[in-house]
Amino acid sequence: MAVEFQDNRIEVKAAISGAVTAFLHEACGELEAQTKRNSKVKTGQTKGSYGYVVDEAELTGYVGSNYDNAIWEEFGTGEYALNGDGRKGGWRYVDAEGKGHFTYGKKPRRPLFKAFTELRARIIAKAEQIMKERLGSE
């Protein structure tokens, strides 16, 4: 009796990679959208700066913003800084319209953290669903 070995590693890896990539795009898109919904809107610039990138080679997704104010919204500034490491005693600054202000800082609003916290259970459930659908798992 001869046993023939069939190597399906390439197909299996491709199926897993495809399922994970699909999940990452969906999860990152949902996280981006919820972060935008959680963002304070004055000009819309911070809210509009959020986006996501999926690295299909590394099977990794990133959600965030390259806009400085997004960092300040997430972690706060001055005396309100999340880790207590902000500038103390307040400071003066001039806004975009040339008007002077005094502030002790900005309280953290945590739009990205809150989005992840709100969506975590749904993201996990979606990962399970996509893997089962794509990989035929029971």
Side-chain angles (χ1 to χ4, degrees):
M1 173 190 239
V3 176
E4 186 177 322
F5 176 73
Q6 188 172 2
D7 185 355
N8 294 314
R9 285 180 296 168
I10 293 172
E11 292 85 0
V12 170
K13 284 181 181 180
I16 291 171
S17 179
V20 171
T21 299
F23 160 71
L24 287 172
H25 279 285
E26 189 158 338
C28 289
E30 284 293 320
L31 191 55
E32 174 193 352
Q34 186 62 47
T35 301
K36 287 178 175 182
R37 286 190 292 274
N38 292 348
S39 293
K40 180 179 175 185
V41 179
K42 186 173 183 181
T43 66
Q45 195 168 4
T46 303
K47 179 179 182 174
S49 73
Y50 285 100
Y52 78 89
V53 174
V54 172
D55 184 336
E56 294 183 12
E58 294 292 322
L59 297 178
T60 308
Y62 303 92
V63 179
S65 170
N66 60 359
Y67 186 52
D68 284 344
N69 191 56
I71 296 168
W72 304 331
E73 287 288 315
E74 192 67 34
F75 298 106
T77 64
E79 295 185 9
Y80 305 110
L82 190 62
N83 296 320
D85 54 357
R87 185 187 317 180
K88 306 294 186 238
W91 65 93
R92 294 190 180 286
Y93 72 96
V94 177
D95 66 19
E97 287 95 38
K99 187 175 178 184
H101 301 273
F102 179 84
T103 184
Y104 287 102
K106 177 185 274 194
K107 293 181 181 179
R109 298 183 54 83
R110 311 294 317 267
L112 185 56
F113 176 79
K114 288 177 181 176
F116 176 75
T117 302
E118 292 167 16
L119 295 176
R120 183 179 180 159
R122 280 196 289 176
I123 288 171
I124 292 169
K126 192 63 174 179
E128 292 171 353
Q129 176 192 351
I130 288 174
M131 296 306 158
K132 286 178 183 177
E133 288 172 0
R134 294 280 190 114
L135 303 176
S137 174
E138 293 179 18

mmCIF file of all heavy atoms in Angstrom, residues 32-33 35-41 44-51 67:
data_model
loop_
_atom_site.group_PDB
_atom_site.id
_atom_site.type_symbol
_atom_site.label_atom_id
_atom_site.label_comp_id
_atom_site.label_asym_id
_atom_site.label_seq_id
_atom_site.Cartn_x
_atom_site.Cartn_y
_atom_site.Cartn_z
ATOM 1 N N GLU A 32 -11.301 53.061 12.989
ATOM 2 C CA GLU A 32 -11.120 54.421 12.471
ATOM 3 C C GLU A 32 -12.434 55.197 12.535
ATOM 4 O O GLU A 32 -12.475 56.339 12.998
ATOM 5 C CB GLU A 32 -10.615 54.385 11.036
ATOM 6 C CG GLU A 32 -10.546 55.751 10.387
ATOM 7 C CD GLU A 32 -10.342 55.694 8.885
ATOM 8 O OE1 GLU A 32 -10.107 54.609 8.325
ATOM 9 O OE2 GLU A 32 -10.437 56.763 8.255
ATOM 10 N N ALA A 33 -13.518 54.577 12.065
ATOM 11 C CA ALA A 33 -14.821 55.253 12.045
ATOM 12 C C ALA A 33 -15.290 55.610 13.458
ATOM 13 O O ALA A 33 -15.782 56.720 13.692
ATOM 14 C CB ALA A 33 -15.851 54.367 11.346
ATOM 15 N N THR A 35 -13.396 56.042 16.108
ATOM 16 C CA THR A 35 -12.500 57.084 16.624
ATOM 17 C C THR A 35 -12.954 58.444 16.115
ATOM 18 O O THR A 35 -12.995 59.425 16.872
ATOM 19 C CB THR A 35 -11.044 56.813 16.210
ATOM 20 O OG1 THR A 35 -10.653 55.536 16.719
ATOM 21 C CG2 THR A 35 -10.105 57.877 16.744
ATOM 22 N N LYS A 36 -13.310 58.526 14.851
ATOM 23 C CA LYS A 36 -13.802 59.786 14.287
ATOM 24 C C LYS A 36 -15.099 60.215 14.965
ATOM 25 O O LYS A 36 -15.292 61.397 15.257
ATOM 26 C CB LYS A 36 -14.001 59.650 12.780
ATOM 27 C CG LYS A 36 -12.691 59.611 12.012
ATOM 28 C CD LYS A 36 -12.928 59.438 10.529
ATOM 29 C CE LYS A 36 -11.623 59.515 9.763
ATOM 30 N NZ LYS A 36 -11.825 59.386 8.313
ATOM 31 N N ARG A 37 -15.991 59.257 15.230
ATOM 32 C CA ARG A 37 -17.245 59.592 15.923
ATOM 33 C C ARG A 37 -16.965 60.098 17.341
ATOM 34 O O ARG A 37 -17.709 60.925 17.865
ATOM 35 C CB ARG A 37 -18.185 58.385 15.963
ATOM 36 C CG ARG A 37 -18.845 58.077 14.636
ATOM 37 C CD ARG A 37 -19.947 57.051 14.756
ATOM 38 N NE ARG A 37 -19.497 55.722 15.092
ATOM 39 C CZ ARG A 37 -19.083 54.800 14.224
ATOM 40 N NH1 ARG A 37 -19.056 55.070 12.934
ATOM 41 N NH2 ARG A 37 -18.713 53.613 14.633
ATOM 42 N N ASN A 38 -15.912 59.586 17.968
ATOM 43 C CA ASN A 38 -15.566 59.982 19.335
ATOM 44 C C ASN A 38 -14.817 61.313 19.402
ATOM 45 O O ASN A 38 -14.626 61.848 20.484
ATOM 46 C CB ASN A 38 -14.682 58.920 20.000
ATOM 47 C CG ASN A 38 -15.408 57.630 20.267
ATOM 48 O OD1 ASN A 38 -16.624 57.542 20.167
ATOM 49 N ND2 ASN A 38 -14.665 56.609 20.629
ATOM 50 N N SER A 39 -14.369 61.817 18.270
ATOM 51 C CA SER A 39 -13.525 63.013 18.249
ATOM 52 C C SER A 39 -14.352 64.286 18.413
ATOM 53 O O SER A 39 -15.440 64.421 17.866
ATOM 54 C CB SER A 39 -12.760 63.102 16.928
ATOM 55 O OG SER A 39 -11.833 62.066 16.836
ATOM 56 N N LYS A 40 -13.765 65.224 19.145
ATOM 57 C CA LYS A 40 -14.358 66.550 19.290
ATOM 58 C C LYS A 40 -14.177 67.274 17.960
ATOM 59 O O LYS A 40 -13.133 67.159 17.323
ATOM 60 C CB LYS A 40 -13.631 67.299 20.405
ATOM 61 C CG LYS A 40 -14.143 68.680 20.672
ATOM 62 C CD LYS A 40 -13.356 69.314 21.807
ATOM 63 C CE LYS A 40 -13.795 70.744 22.003
ATOM 64 N NZ LYS A 40 -12.962 71.402 23.011
ATOM 65 N N VAL A 41 -15.202 68.000 17.556
ATOM 66 C CA VAL A 41 -15.116 68.677 16.264
ATOM 67 C C VAL A 41 -15.231 70.184 16.457
ATOM 68 O O VAL A 41 -16.247 70.685 16.912
ATOM 69 C CB VAL A 41 -16.221 68.196 15.299
ATOM 70 C CG1 VAL A 41 -16.133 68.935 13.982
ATOM 71 C CG2 VAL A 41 -16.138 66.705 15.086
ATOM 72 N N GLY A 44 -12.776 70.136 12.408
ATOM 73 C CA GLY A 44 -12.851 68.860 11.697
ATOM 74 C C GLY A 44 -11.494 68.349 11.244
ATOM 75 O O GLY A 44 -11.386 67.246 10.717
ATOM 76 N N GLN A 45 -10.455 69.142 11.472
ATOM 77 C CA GLN A 45 -9.127 68.761 11.004
ATOM 78 C C GLN A 45 -8.607 67.515 11.732
ATOM 79 O O GLN A 45 -8.061 66.608 11.107
ATOM 80 C CB GLN A 45 -8.152 69.927 11.181
ATOM 81 C CG GLN A 45 -6.870 69.746 10.416
ATOM 82 C CD GLN A 45 -6.059 71.033 10.366
ATOM 83 O OE1 GLN A 45 -6.420 72.034 10.972
ATOM 84 N NE2 GLN A 45 -4.972 70.994 9.641
ATOM 85 N N THR A 46 -8.766 67.458 13.047
ATOM 86 C CA THR A 46 -8.301 66.287 13.803
ATOM 87 C C THR A 46 -9.122 65.065 13.414
ATOM 88 O O THR A 46 -8.563 64.010 13.110
ATOM 89 C CB THR A 46 -8.390 66.540 15.320
ATOM 90 O OG1 THR A 46 -7.632 67.696 15.640
ATOM 91 C CG2 THR A 46 -7.855 65.352 16.097
ATOM 92 N N LYS A 47 -10.421 65.206 13.417
ATOM 93 C CA LYS A 47 -11.311 64.104 13.066
ATOM 94 C C LYS A 47 -10.972 63.554 11.683
ATOM 95 O O LYS A 47 -10.878 62.338 11.489
ATOM 96 C CB LYS A 47 -12.759 64.584 13.092
ATOM 97 C CG LYS A 47 -13.768 63.544 12.724
ATOM 98 C CD LYS A 47 -15.171 64.116 12.812
ATOM 99 C CE LYS A 47 -16.209 63.080 12.492
ATOM 100 N NZ LYS A 47 -17.570 63.573 12.713
ATOM 101 N N GLY A 48 -10.734 64.426 10.735
ATOM 102 C CA GLY A 48 -10.424 64.004 9.377
ATOM 103 C C GLY A 48 -9.024 63.438 9.203
ATOM 104 O O GLY A 48 -8.719 62.846 8.170
ATOM 105 N N SER A 49 -8.176 63.599 10.206
ATOM 106 C CA SER A 49 -6.791 63.133 10.074
ATOM 107 C C SER A 49 -6.615 61.655 10.402
ATOM 108 O O SER A 49 -5.570 61.075 10.108
ATOM 109 C CB SER A 49 -5.876 63.963 10.976
ATOM 110 O OG SER A 49 -6.059 63.631 12.338
ATOM 111 N N TYR A 50 -7.614 61.031 11.011
ATOM 112 C CA TYR A 50 -7.485 59.613 11.369
ATOM 113 C C TYR A 50 -7.590 58.743 10.117
ATOM 114 O O TYR A 50 -8.352 59.025 9.205
ATOM 115 C CB TYR A 50 -8.569 59.197 12.378
ATOM 116 C CG TYR A 50 -8.282 59.704 13.760
ATOM 117 C CD1 TYR A 50 -8.920 60.832 14.244
ATOM 118 C CD2 TYR A 50 -7.353 59.074 14.575
ATOM 119 C CE1 TYR A 50 -8.649 61.322 15.508
ATOM 120 C CE2 TYR A 50 -7.079 59.548 15.834
ATOM 121 C CZ TYR A 50 -7.727 60.676 16.302
ATOM 122 O OH TYR A 50 -7.450 61.161 17.552
ATOM 123 N N GLY A 51 -6.817 57.700 10.118
ATOM 124 C CA GLY A 51 -6.834 56.754 9.015
ATOM 125 C C GLY A 51 -6.260 55.425 9.478
ATOM 126 O O GLY A 51 -5.900 55.262 10.645
ATOM 127 N N TYR A 67 -1.456 63.956 12.872
ATOM 128 C CA TYR A 67 -1.728 65.343 13.221
ATOM 129 C C TYR A 67 -1.457 65.540 14.716
ATOM 130 O O TYR A 67 -1.972 64.795 15.553
ATOM 131 C CB TYR A 67 -3.188 65.651 12.877
ATOM 132 C CG TYR A 67 -3.610 67.081 13.032
ATOM 133 C CD1 TYR A 67 -2.897 68.113 12.439
ATOM 134 C CD2 TYR A 67 -4.740 67.409 13.761
ATOM 135 C CE1 TYR A 67 -3.295 69.430 12.570
ATOM 136 C CE2 TYR A 67 -5.156 68.718 13.900
ATOM 137 C CZ TYR A 67 -4.422 69.727 13.300
ATOM 138 O OH TYR A 67 -4.819 71.033 13.431
#
